[in-house]
Amino acid sequence: DSMGSNFSTPAAAAGTTPKIIDPATYLNQLIEDVRKRTPDTTPVNAVPYPFPVASRPKIIFDTDLGSDVDDALALLLLMHLPQSDYELLGITTVYGCSELRTLVTRRILEAAGWDKKVPLICGVGAPLTRDSETVWHSHTEGRGLCTEEEIRANFNTWKSLTAPHDEAARFIIEQVQKYPGQVIILALGALSNVALALRIQPDIASKIHHIAFMGSGVRCTHENPRPEYRPVERHVGHRSRASHNIRCDIGAAIEVFGNVNVRVQVVSNDVTCRCWLQGLHSLALFRAGGGVLPADYTVPEGVTLAQAEAMAARMTAEGRAVGRLYVEWLNYRASIGQGVATCPHDPLTLAEALYPSRFVRYVPGRLLIHRETAETDFVVDTSAAPAGSPAGPARHWLGVAIDQAAFHGWLDPLLTMPRQGEEAGAAPMEILPEAGNSSPAAASPTVASPTPSPHLPATPAQIPVVAAASN
């Protein structure tokens, strides 16, 4: 049942009927199997993503927007980028309460005046396979932009469906067939819509330019959220726990990553978890969303509350709408003891889809997903990336190195972009306008596309990556 995995229990290896064992014992046996294998420790180069994109790539934004605020931040970033840098074909929603996610997304589009020009399609809610983990909701979905009545009306609709929503999958098929070789699918949630599209129309696999996927393995903990990349740990002694976007529909993920005709650019948690929104721009976004600071709040060093208030007052209407979701998410994280900061997972994935390797470097290989234990292995293909030559046959390219400073220096001001025509001394507007009273924002001012980071070497940096033994 695992993609490319031949791990077995000792009983199965001996040719006898395996007995039923508990998951913890089974996991320990799998780990021991990994330890017994001899890994290939040949260093490989971490290189730029080798497949060029068009000057104005066509994007399908496939999202589980509404829980973690990073999806909304990615949509806000997209709205604030020059529209000459991309063509948004449409937005598809996925996972759990996809109807409510669609409604929340529509509210952001309405704030920006984009609701009439961007197709928005409700997609698969329930996982395609029954062995996925229980559908998770933070119960912040919709709060800040929807009424309680709207939330209740839309939250549990997916549970009553006898068949998955296939409208989003068919939209993906339609766009890929219309623009063969040109469409990038920005996959920011479960891969259910993409897998369903491939089931319905298998021949589109070779017509997708590539999938930019946020996820893979998670080695980060809340106690140590910014680990250095230590690939020896990754492949010798234990594997990585699959990320939420894989676990939440693990069968769909196996179908997509197991398709030999699909190329996937993986912006992994190992790089996104090194980035945290904090400081002036985070505070401004929080205040723009009406966030109330606790009495004992300490303003970050080098920042004044007046600066944050002035920045918040001049933000775009869509920025203030996303700010409301930002407040709900940070309050949720604080309530479960995870602090009041968050990782911009999806904004980084969007940035790398549109501007490959501006901030991240990659290694080629295959991402293996193990259904039984919900874990992943990344098997590095050293033949695909000889020194000085990034091009190769590998289908999967895993992000392993990031320039955090360059990324935040580019991202943070874009999230808090002022409305067009705002001057530094202009009178501030109300931070949190009454719902329905805000007029659509004017077109975003021109923003320079990111330039290659000066902190990443012009020539590929050599990062020791351990390639797991061939399965």
Side-chain angles (χ1 to χ4, degrees), residues 4 6 37-40 366 368 379 467-471:
N6 65 354
R37 292 188 294 169
T38 303
D40 176 3
R366 293 176 61 212
L368 306 182
V379 181
S470 173
N471 288 330

Side-chain angles (χ1 to χ4, degrees), residues 326-380:
Y326 193 66
V327 170
E328 294 292 338
W329 178 247
L330 292 189
N331 286 339
Y332 165 76
R333 285 181 59 84
S335 72
I336 61 175
Q338 293 187 1
V340 287
T342 194
C343 296
H345 307 286
D346 293 344
L348 179 58
T349 307
L350 169 63
E352 284 293 304
L354 294 180
Y355 316 109
S357 294
R358 297 299 186 183
F359 310 110
V360 176
R361 291 292 185 265
Y362 299 82
V363 293
R366 293 176 61 212
L367 183 69
L368 306 182
I369 302 169
H370 305 286
R371 186 192 299 269
E372 303 91 340
T373 57
E375 294 179 298
T376 60
D377 277 321
F378 192 82
V379 181
V380 176

Side-chain angles (χ1 to χ4, degrees), residues 217-237:
V218 180
R219 296 182 301 108
C220 305
T221 66
H222 299 307
E223 292 75 28
N224 181 26
R226 307 175 197 177
E228 294 302 317
Y229 183 70
R230 292 191 290 273
V232 172
E233 288 186 5
R234 188 178 183 87
H235 293 294
V236 179

